[in-house]
Amino acid sequence: MTTFRLEQVVIAGPGILLLAQVLIMQQHRIKHPCRWANPVFLGLFVAGASYAAICYIIKLSPVIMADSPQLNYLCMAVIVVLFPMLALLLWKDPGRVSQSRFRGDRRHSNQSDGITENRDDDLLTKSGDGSLIGGSDADVRHGCHGSGEVATIADVASGRLPQECFCGFCEIIMPERTKHCRICDCCIHDMDHHCLFLMKCIARDNHRLFVLLIVTMVIAMIAFLCAVYRYVTLVYAGRNFLEKVVAAVLTDSVVSIIAVGNVLTLMWCFGLLRFQCGMIAIGRTTVQNLQLLRQRRSLRYMSLRDQIVNVANFIVGVKRHCEEPCCDILSGVYKEADRKETV
């Protein structure tokens, strides 16, 4: 029996290495003239999470249920929460901008020069869900009222708006903090990044849910690894640690492979969560951070209190308390990077 299991592991080894090589070679788009978004990473993510959940329910839970009921309840609760959260994130609109801004009617005062002037460059726009966004109140979802006049290319031609505010792909006047995603083929407000594992952008309306999904995944993987440890301890009792590991690899190869995958994914999720919290604390997005790194801009010191308030406001869905001053970037800066992309 042990020899048969060992042969299975030897046969499966080259297959796993081949699969890893295929995944490393994958890109954002499929290698086809249509250039559609690549669904391989989404399929891998959903299949891996589903396989781990099924393995726990069928293989691990019956063994550890009596010995560790609290751990069993935690794993079941995480499974119940994780998949609906993933479905909601896949369904939720990230913050698509489908129409040009509206001209605002605010009066801007220049106190230092003693001059009061009217400006039309503080503009509002409608996102995919119909809410008004843009201008200096770009994070406000509802209750913003502009003059009702839609900004046009004439505003760009007259110099009232920067030339880069016009999106040639969507043919709209983009608000501030907006980037055109060439994979989703639409303008996204307050875009953080395009996620390969979800096949959609992470932006204003789903960024918080994305971070919560990462936290849930971290809890789920830690709970799964604890369940694997209890399973191996109970099934292979009476052996030392090395003998338990060898016996688990030879006789429970499926559990061992999923556990190794969880360890690798857990390290990656920890790094991603740390990076996301760092960007949220200083009021940045990933896109803004990359652009500022290219420009080699210096950073202003932000107090720990402001960073904590930023994170707290992000959790409860409130506008940023304070942000790094060079983060107030117009959509034109994003367009500069788009011109260099190769489709």
Side-chain angles (χ1 to χ4, degrees):
M1 186 67 175
T2 302
T3 305
F4 177 73
R5 294 290 184 180
L6 180 60
E7 291 175 354
Q8 280 188 326
V9 174
V10 172
I11 294 174
I16 295 174
L17 294 177
L18 179 62
L19 177 62
Q21 182 180 4
V22 171
L23 292 175
I24 292 174
M25 295 175 61
Q26 297 299 315
Q27 300 178 356
H28 286 71
R29 300 177 185 272
I30 62 176
K31 297 179 180 179
H32 186 272
C34 67
R35 303 295 285 164
W36 288 344
N38 197 337
V40 170
F41 293 100
L42 175 61
L44 176 67
F45 174 51
V46 175
S50 302
Y51 204 6
I54 294 172
C55 175
Y56 176 79
I57 294 173
I58 295 178
K59 190 83 173 178
L60 305 183
S61 181
V63 176
I64 71 170
M65 186 182 302
D67 181 75
S68 304
Q70 295 84 0
L71 179 60
N72 183 61
Y73 295 148
L74 175 62
C75 292
M76 289 297 186
V78 170
I79 292 174
V80 170
V81 172
L82 179 63
F83 288 96
M85 186 180 295
L86 175 61
L88 179 61
L89 185 58
L90 293 174
W91 170 80
K92 190 175 179 62
D93 177 27
R96 297 171 182 260
V97 178
S98 58
Q99 155 177 358
S100 293
R101 314 178 191 186
F102 287 103
R103 293 194 184 95
D105 57 355
R106 296 182 181 88
R107 179 174 296 268
H108 294 259
S109 176
N110 190 333
Q111 300 293 342
S112 59
D113 297 334
I115 299 173
T116 301
E117 58 177 349
N118 289 321
R119 294 179 56 191
D120 290 329
D121 59 343
D122 195 12
L123 301 174
L124 303 173
T125 188
K126 281 188 177 180
S127 64
D129 59 2
S131 59
L132 294 174
I133 56 177
S136 59
D137 294 325
D139 293 320
V140 178
R141 311 272 174 100
H142 302 283
C144 298
H145 302 284
S147 62
E149 299 180 7
V150 178
T152 64
I153 190 66
D155 296 301
V156 178
S158 64
R160 185 180 300 162
L161 288 172
Q163 182 180 2
E164 294 82 3
C165 284
F166 178 73
C167 177
F169 298 99
C170 300
E171 298 184 351
I172 62 172
I173 307 298
M174 297 187 294
E176 295 180 5
R177 305 176 70 95
T178 298
K179 182 184 186 300
H180 181 88
C181 178
R182 300 178 71 172
I183 299 177
C184 297
D185 194 24
C186 64
C187 288
I188 305 294
H189 179 64
D190 215 1
M191 177 179 174
D192 186 79
H193 68 284
H194 182 91
C195 182
L196 285 175
F197 293 93
L198 299 175
M199 279 184 65
K200 70 185 309 179
C201 286
I202 304 301
R204 185 199 66 174
D205 292 341
N206 64 353
H207 193 185
R208 180 173 55 167
L209 186 60
F210 173 74
V211 175
L212 291 176
L213 177 67
I214 298 175
V215 173
T216 305
M217 288 176 57
V218 169
I219 297 174
M221 287 182 285
I222 292 175
F224 181 83
L225 292 175
C226 292
V228 170
Y229 174 78
R230 292 303 304 157
Y231 172 82
V232 172
T233 302
L234 294 173
V235 172
Y236 304 102
R239 308 182 187 183
N240 59 39
F241 178 76
L242 182 59
E243 291 176 346
K244 290 179 181 179
V245 172
V246 173
V249 171
L250 295 179
T251 59
D252 285 308
S253 56
V254 173
V255 176
S256 302
I257 292 173
I258 296 177
V260 172
N262 271 262
V263 171
L264 299 177
T265 308
L266 182 61
M267 292 188 294
W268 178 75
C269 284
F270 267 129
L272 178 60
L273 184 61
R274 180 179 178 275
F275 176 80
Q276 285 288 324
C277 290
M279 292 296 100
I280 293 167
I282 62 175
R284 281 195 194 181
T285 63
T286 303
V287 169
Q288 292 169 346
N289 185 62
L290 292 174
Q291 186 60 46
L292 293 173
L293 288 177
R294 293 192 191 104
Q295 297 176 357
R296 297 181 179 179
R297 291 201 185 185
S298 59
L299 302 181
R300 177 179 70 89
Y301 171 76
M302 184 176 292
S303 67
L304 180 61
R305 175 189 174 278
D306 288 338
Q307 295 185 36
I308 294 175
V309 172
N310 268 345
V311 174
N313 286 353
F314 176 83
I315 294 174
V316 299
V318 180
K319 184 179 177 181
R320 294 176 182 86
H321 166 69
C322 180
E323 61 184 29
E324 214 278 329
C326 56
C327 288
D328 190 16
I329 304 174
L330 291 175
S331 53
V333 178
Y334 295 143
K335 292 282 287 183
E336 194 72 29
D338 270 347
R339 294 194 187 100
K340 299 178 183 179
E341 286 185 12
T342 57
V343 182

